[in-house]
Amino acid sequence: KDHWEVDPQELTLGEELGSGQFGLVLEGMWREKKVAVKMTREECMSDDEFKEEALVMTKLSHSKLVQLYGVCTQHSPMCLVFEFMENGCLSDYLRARKGQLSQDVMLGMCLDVSEGMAYLESSNFIHRDLAARNCLVSHDHEVKVSDFGMTRFVLDDQYTSSQCSKFPVKWSAPEVIRYSKFSSKSDVWSFGVLMWEVYSEGRLPYENRSNAEVVESLNAGLRLLKPRLAPDAVHLLMEWCWKEKPEDRPSFALLVHELASLSNI
Ligand SMILES: Cn1cc(-c2ccnc(-n3ncc4cc(C(C)(C)C)cc(F)c4c3=O)c2CO)cc(Nc2ccncn2)c1=O
């Protein structure tokens, strides 16, 4: 048996944490650790390719990535056993704490995500859907990146093609919208929007504008405005992430350096 295989007998399942993109996510216990267990629904995810991909994901390990502990693939529905992040997704966390987050905490959240993303960048692993909703918060404001690379297993093409309603246009780089050209530099664009979300306390980017209107304004060179709480130096980093040409954007390694130097001021 592969050592990433979790024995279902060792799993205790509890309350529902939410019905994720692929199916049910339950709280649970595994080897005295609190875990989040994702039961994959057959019709939402292609099984086979997912198995070896899940094994790739078990090899990605970093303190700022939500850790996959193991998989149960010997029966259906397959389940993925993750480290448990008790404060749920970052977007809900920001909205619930409007007006209560200090400058240090907001900067620390951006730094946490940039560190996790710099690790994925160094592993040549593209997230494809980086946003505050796909980051999770553990105890005391620690933020980790979640569900990296999982978009490739979504069978719902409403989600995967940029012309459709569920595609995350507001977080997508121009080359992704136009040509589905994903790269770590398109993840950097999304990271710029995530920084905007953090300093906007979880507000929706381009609030009441449609995806089509957002595409038009981006093509006209318009960008999200500086959130009231964002220092100029952080807004400059956001705008750097939103350069039209991918090669003009910073790497995550450089963003970590810039954000770390801001947090030491
Ligand atoms: C690990 N983990 C996962 C979740 C959790 C629960 C429900 N749906 C999800 N989500 N959320 C988003 C999501 C997104 C995708 C894309 C392919 C990128 C679109 C693919 C997914 F598979 C998920 C998923 O499963 C998660 C995120 O994977 C919640 C936790 N914790 C808490 C704690 C308190 N309240 C709520 N959740 C937790 O610790």
Side-chain angles (χ1 to χ4, degrees), residues 93-103 106 198-203 228-229:
Y93 189 81
L94 292 166
R95 291 174 198 137
R97 283 163 188 77
K98 269 194 199 306
Q100 299 162 33
L101 297 173
S102 70
Q103 284 289 326
M106 290 187 286
V198 169
Y199 283 92
S200 302
E201 303 174 295
R203 273 209 316 282
R228 183 175 56 81
L229 295 174

Side-chain angles (χ1 to χ4, degrees), residues 211-222:
N211 284 347
E213 287 166 337
V214 169
V215 172
E216 254 180 60
S217 69
L218 289 179
N219 292 340
L222 300 177

Side-chain angles (χ1 to χ4, degrees), residues 124-170:
N124 297 316
F125 198 98
I126 305 167
H127 189 298
R128 288 182 168 80
D129 192 7
L130 181 61
R133 66 179 173 276
N134 291 330
C135 291
L136 293 168
V137 187
S138 68
H139 52 84
D140 67 46
H141 308 304
E142 196 184 34
V143 180
K144 304 194 182 193
V145 180
S146 182
D147 299 304
F148 28 95
M150 297 287 278
T151 53
R152 291 167 299 165
F153 310 111
V154 177
L155 297 177
D156 171 2
D157 59 13
Q158 274 305 312
Y159 185 85
T160 50
S161 71
S162 65
Q163 311 313 320
C164 294
S165 57
K166 292 185 199 166
F167 191 83
V169 164
K170 296 181 175 182

Side-chain angles (χ1 to χ4, degrees), residues 230-250:
D232 287 344
V234 173
H235 182 229
L236 280 174
L237 288 180
M238 294 180 199
E239 294 201 306
W240 195 8
C241 294
W242 298 328
K243 287 284 187 187
E244 180 72 24
K245 290 194 289 180
E247 56 273 19
D248 292 343
R249 298 171 205 153

